[in-house]
Amino acid sequence: MFKKILSYIITLFLIIFYFSFNLFLNIKPFNSYSVKKNIEYLSSDELKGRLAGSIENLEAANFIKNKFMENKIDPFNENYYHSFSTFYPEKLNEKPYLKVINKQNELIKEYIYSKDYKEDMINFRKNKLTFNKADNISLDDNFFTVNSSKGNFAFFVPENDNLEFRSSFSHNSRIDMGIMLTSYVKGEIINYINKGYKIDCYIPFTVKETNINNVIGIVPGKDTSSSPIIISAHFDHLGTDLKNTVYPGALDNASGISFVIEMSKYLNSIGKPDKNIIFIAFNGEEFGCLGSNEFVKENFKILQNSKVFNFDMIGTNNSIPLCIMGGENNSKNSPLIKSAASVCAKEKIYFDYLFQDSSDHEAFTTAGIDAITFIDNDSTRIHTPNDKASFISTKSIDRCFNIASKEIIKYAFDNNPLIIYYKAFCIISLITILLLFHLKIKRC
C-alpha cells in the first residue's frame, strides 16, 4: 500500500515538474535591462522628443510596431496602426522675439530667448502679438493676460523662474498662446507698458492638422468573445524647443511603453491566455489623451467588461512609492484598485494611491470600464530637458513588474500559480521527486 501511495505522489510531482519545466524552457523572462535599453533609444536625441505629428513620432511608432512583430504579437484588426486626426504644433524655421518699442517706434530692448522668456506648449492658435496699455490687460502677482481682437494671450512667471518646464499641448485651450517670463522680465514689461511703450512678441510655432497613429497588437485568447485584457502606455512626448533643445521624455513615457513592449514578450511566451490580451501604444496623450479616447470610442462594445492596466512613468531612481492611480470617481474600494493594493501589501511593496484623470486610464474609467495606471509619481524632471534615461532605475521597473504581472495573470490566465511561481515549482518538484525515489529505493 505504501509503495502504491508513493507511486501516486511521485506521479503527481512528475506532472508538476513536467509542466513547470516546460514553462521554464518556453517563458521569456521579463528583463528590466531590455526595458531600459528601449527607453534609451526612445528618449534619445535621434527621436527629438517624439512630438505627435512629427517625423520622429512616426519613427517611434514604427519602432514599437517592429518590437511587437519581433515578440510575435499579432496586429489588432489586421493592422498595427490605428489612425486618427489631431491638431499639433509645428515649429517654423524663423526666429522668436520679444521686443520693447517706444512711442517713436524705436527698439528699446530685445529679450533673450530661453534666458528671459520662452514659449509654453499649451497652444499656438495665434503666434504673434503687439500690445500696449490701451489693450485689455489683466494683472496678477505672477502673470498677466492680454485679451484683444487678435486673441487671448497669457504671460506668466514659472516656479523659481525655471523656463524649462513645458505644459502639454491643448488645441482647445481658451488661451491662444502662453509665454513664460522670468520675474524680473515680467516686472520690466509692466513698467514699459505703464510708460506707454508697446510690446512686440512672436513665437514661430503654428498649429496644423494631421493624422497620427496608436500602435496596437493582440495575443488571441481561448475565448475570443470575452472582453479583452488591455495593457497600455503612451509613447508621445513634447518634442524640442526653438533652440532645438530636446525634451527626451524618458520617464514620461518612454518608460511605460518600453515596459509594455517587454511585457508583451513575456506574456506571449507563457502560452494561450484565457481571453484576448491587447497591447496598445497610445499616441497624443500629451494633447489630452487623444489616442485612448479614440480607441475607446471606436471599440466600446468589446471593452465593456475589460480590465485595463496602463503604465505611465515607471522606473524613477528617486525613493517614492509605486502609485496605483484610478480616475477621479474611483476610490480605494474600486475592485481593480483594491486587488492591486492587496498584492502590493502582500509583497510588501511601498505603494500609495492617486485618483486623477491625468493619464490614459481616464478614457476607460469615464466609460465605466475598470482601469488603473501604475505610476512612479515623480514630477521632479518630467516635461523638462532633464528627463533622461540616465535617471531610470531597473529596481523600480522590477518593482512594478512584480505587482502588475501577478494582477494581469490573475485575469488573463485564471490566476494560475504555476505561471507565477514556475521556477519554484520546477525546483521543488524536482527535489521532491529525487527524495521520493530515494525513499522508494531505500524501502525496497
Side-chain angles (χ1 to χ4, degrees), residues 92-188:
L92 303 175
N93 189 26
E94 299 174 17
K95 289 185 178 181
Y97 56 77
L98 180 61
K99 301 175 182 179
V100 181
I101 311 294
N102 69 10
K103 294 177 181 179
Q104 290 73 42
N105 214 30
E106 298 168 332
L107 177 64
I108 295 298
K109 186 163 188 175
E110 182 165 3
Y111 291 101
I112 301 171
Y113 176 82
S114 82
K115 177 180 178 290
D116 297 325
Y117 74 100
K118 193 174 183 180
E119 77 283 350
D120 194 18
M121 202 68 175
I122 190 165
N123 206 357
F124 302 100
R125 275 196 305 263
K126 308 284 184 173
N127 60 12
K128 188 178 290 188
L129 173 66
T130 301
F131 64 98
N132 58 27
K133 65 180 180 181
D135 289 290
N136 183 10
I137 301 173
S138 300
L139 293 172
D140 207 325
D141 288 342
N142 290 316
F143 69 92
F144 65 90
T145 59
V146 181
N147 300 307
S148 70
S149 59
K150 296 177 182 178
N152 299 320
F153 302 84
F155 293 80
F156 64 95
V157 177
E159 187 176 358
N160 299 320
D161 281 358
N162 183 359
L163 302 180
E164 290 192 329
F165 183 86
R166 288 166 90 78
S167 301
S168 297
F169 175 76
S170 176
H171 177 65
N172 295 321
S173 170
R174 62 184 182 83
I175 300 296
D176 291 300
M177 185 170 68
I179 307 296
M180 296 182 285
L181 307 171
T182 65
S183 53
Y184 179 77
V185 171
K186 184 247 182 184
E188 271 200 345

Side-chain angles (χ1 to χ4, degrees), residues 49-53 57 60 64 168 212 214 233-239 248-249 252-254 257 281-291 360:
R50 311 181 306 281
L51 180 72
N57 182 271
I64 296 162
S168 297
I212 60 175
N214 293 327
H234 78 91
F235 69 93
D236 61 303
H237 198 54
L238 296 174
D252 183 19
N253 191 32
I257 190 55
F282 287 124
N283 209 345
E285 192 269 356
E286 299 291 358
F287 292 0
C289 298
L290 299 185
D360 286 306

Side-chain angles (χ1 to χ4, degrees), residues 82 84 212-216 230 232-236 280-300 303 308 310 312 357-367 369 371 373:
H82 167 225
F84 59 96
I212 60 175
N213 299 308
N214 293 327
V215 187
I216 311 178
I230 306 295
S232 64
H234 78 91
F235 69 93
D236 61 303
I280 314 176
F282 287 124
N283 209 345
E285 192 269 356
E286 299 291 358
F287 292 0
C289 298
L290 299 185
S292 50
N293 277 285
E294 289 292 327
F295 176 79
V296 171
K297 183 172 66 177
E298 292 185 23
N299 297 279
F300 179 73
L303 296 173
V308 181
N310 187 57
D312 200 340
D357 290 339
S358 58
S359 189
D360 286 306
H361 64 277
E362 176 192 1
F364 296 93
T365 57
T366 301
I369 300 163
T373 290

Side-chain angles (χ1 to χ4, degrees), residues 8-117:
Y8 283 138
I9 295 172
I10 290 172
T11 301
L12 174 63
F13 277 96
L14 280 169
I15 292 170
I16 294 171
F17 176 75
Y18 171 79
F19 284 107
S20 60
F21 186 68
N22 190 53
L23 286 170
F24 181 81
L25 291 177
N26 290 297
I27 286 181
K28 297 176 180 177
F30 185 94
N31 187 334
S32 56
Y33 291 98
S34 293
V35 175
K36 187 165 183 179
K37 184 179 178 182
N38 287 336
I39 294 171
E40 287 170 351
Y41 172 68
L42 288 168
S43 62
S44 66
D45 287 353
E46 182 180 344
L47 290 189
K48 296 182 181 178
R50 311 181 306 281
L51 180 72
S54 69
I55 292 172
E56 292 78 21
N57 182 271
L58 285 172
E59 290 175 356
N62 189 57
F63 172 81
I64 296 162
K65 182 195 78 170
N66 288 338
K67 285 294 180 181
F68 281 171
M69 293 174 68
E70 183 182 310
N71 294 340
K72 296 180 172 57
I73 308 300
D74 295 339
F76 179 70
N77 289 341
E78 301 182 350
N79 193 348
Y80 287 105
Y81 288 150
H82 167 225
S83 180
F84 59 96
S85 159
T86 186
F87 291 94
Y88 77 103
E90 183 183 71
K91 187 163 50 174
L92 303 175
N93 189 26
E94 299 174 17
K95 289 185 178 181
Y97 56 77
L98 180 61
K99 301 175 182 179
V100 181
I101 311 294
N102 69 10
K103 294 177 181 179
Q104 290 73 42
N105 214 30
E106 298 168 332
L107 177 64
I108 295 298
K109 186 163 188 175
E110 182 165 3
Y111 291 101
I112 301 171
Y113 176 82
S114 82
K115 177 180 178 290
D116 297 325
Y117 74 100

